[in-house]
Amino acid sequence: GHDAMIGCLVYSPDSRWVATGSYDNTIILWDTTGRCIEEWVAHAGVISCCAWSPDGTVIASGGSDGRVRLWDARTFCLIHVLGYEHNNPYSLFVHFSADGRWLASGGCQVDCCMWDVAAGKLHKVLKGSNSFRTATFDPGSTRLAAASDGYKAGIWDIETGEPLVVLQQRTKRVSDISFSPDGKLALSGSYDETVEIWDVRSGLSIMSLLGHTGHVYAACVSPCGKYIASASYDGTVRLWRTRDGSCLVTFVEHQDRVRHVAFSPDGQTLSSGANNGT
């Protein structure tokens, strides 16, 4: 498949396909048997993030050229190029809202931008959101959780762009953040080697999941809400039980730092991507 590091990994909403973006400038569409279905050069530089629209018709991608591109997920033709002037553009995340109306993007020294997907235009820049590393929408498409370079994370109102809650400050960078399926909890992975579960109303930590011996680069909650998966620079993927934080299994198949992990929307499979392109 790819000739360089995996920059991103996402499932299609129907769980039939997996899209991966790489530092080799390409996106590959796979079926769940691992067969390559389509490959195309998507950016002039590194591809560091991608997302699938909830209706399965659009794939968004971003990277080191500072532009977000929207692709037709059936024909793989370019639909829109979303641009916003930055001093040092580098997109680290793109995420669709659950209703498909909005797309959030941002990155290193880049504001967190809200885009109107249908119009292909900028809707709003979230206030106080410069240089954010990761962000994701809640299930109701009304809030956005985001984490910054300054070891801070919080919840923003999508319509107004105003901050709602500041999550308890971390001692090291938060690399990934997501909501639980019911929107009551937030989950973060951090360079302090922990996975943290937060109450989104109070902003307080409920539980720390301990066990990784390297940076936790990605973490996500299963569609049923009962499980958490985390990917780490220690070369492992761990599966945890949400209720009590116990580690159920540690996957050791990767031979390099693991940067990405994702549950399929139907909750039946778990996929991961590493620095060596696997």
Side-chain angles (χ1 to χ4, degrees):
H2 290 295
D3 297 323
M5 184 187 301
I6 303 297
C8 50
L9 181 154
V10 290
Y11 273 94
S12 63
D14 61 7
S15 303
R16 294 179 60 194
W17 317 104
V18 174
T20 55
S22 171
Y23 280 37
D24 62 11
N25 307 350
T26 69
I27 294 175
I28 294 180
L29 183 70
W30 314 81
D31 66 17
T32 51
T33 69
R35 183 167 58 102
C36 176
I37 303 301
E38 187 71 28
E39 180 177 2
W40 69 99
V41 176
H43 289 262
V46 166
I47 299 174
S48 55
C49 51
C50 55
W52 216 303
S53 65
D55 63 4
T57 62
V58 179
I59 297 173
S61 61
S64 60
D65 60 7
R67 294 293 184 262
V68 174
R69 287 176 164 80
L70 303 183
W71 307 90
D72 187 301
R74 296 183 178 90
T75 66
F76 313 109
C77 294
L78 186 64
I79 301 171
H80 289 302
V81 178
L82 309 180
Y84 184 66
E85 294 301 322
H86 306 295
N87 294 327
N88 182 26
Y90 197 123
S91 298
L92 288 177
F93 62 86
V94 287
H95 286 289
F96 285 96
S97 59
D99 60 8
R101 183 182 179 189
W102 310 114
L103 180 79
S105 71
C108 295
Q109 298 183 26
V110 178
D111 294 325
C112 184
C113 300
M114 296 288 303
W115 304 94
D116 183 313
V117 175
K121 295 181 179 180
L122 182 67
H123 165 65
K124 192 176 292 294
V125 178
L126 299 189
K127 296 182 180 180
S129 65
N130 183 263
S131 199
F132 266 59
R133 308 288 301 186
T134 183
T136 189
F137 290 94
D138 76 331
S141 302
T142 61
R143 298 169 297 170
L144 189 82
S148 75
D149 273 345
Y151 314 146
K152 294 180 180 179
I155 312 293
W156 273 256
D157 183 276
I158 294 173
E159 287 293 338
T160 66
E162 296 286 348
L164 299 173
V165 178
V166 176
L167 302 183
Q168 199 173 39
Q169 189 164 342
R170 308 303 298 159
T171 58
K172 292 186 178 180
R173 176 182 294 166
V174 175
S175 52
D176 197 18
I177 194 166
S178 60
F179 281 96
S180 60
D182 61 8
K184 295 179 180 180
L185 303 175
L187 181 73
S188 67
S190 172
Y191 275 40
D192 65 7
E193 304 178 356
T194 68
V195 178
E196 206 77 20
I197 302 174
W198 309 87
D199 179 281
V200 297
R201 289 189 177 182
S202 66
L204 298 178
S205 173
I206 296 174
M207 190 185 306
S208 296
L209 308 184
L210 307 176
H212 282 297
T213 58
H215 302 163
V216 177
Y217 202 84
C220 57
V221 185
S222 65
C224 66
K226 295 180 180 179
Y227 306 103
I228 291 169
S230 57
S232 172
Y233 274 23
D234 63 13
T236 70
V237 172
R238 285 179 176 248
L239 187 69
W240 315 79
R241 186 159 48 210
T242 308
R243 184 181 73 248
D244 57 11
S246 59
C247 182
L248 302 177
V249 63
T250 301
F251 300 104
V252 296
E253 285 78 5
H254 281 291
Q255 303 300 313
D256 206 336
R257 295 175 176 179
V258 189
R259 293 170 58 89
H260 306 282
V261 67
F263 286 99
S264 60
D266 62 10
Q268 297 302 304
T269 60
L270 184 69
S271 290
S272 56
N275 277 10
N276 61 0
T278 59

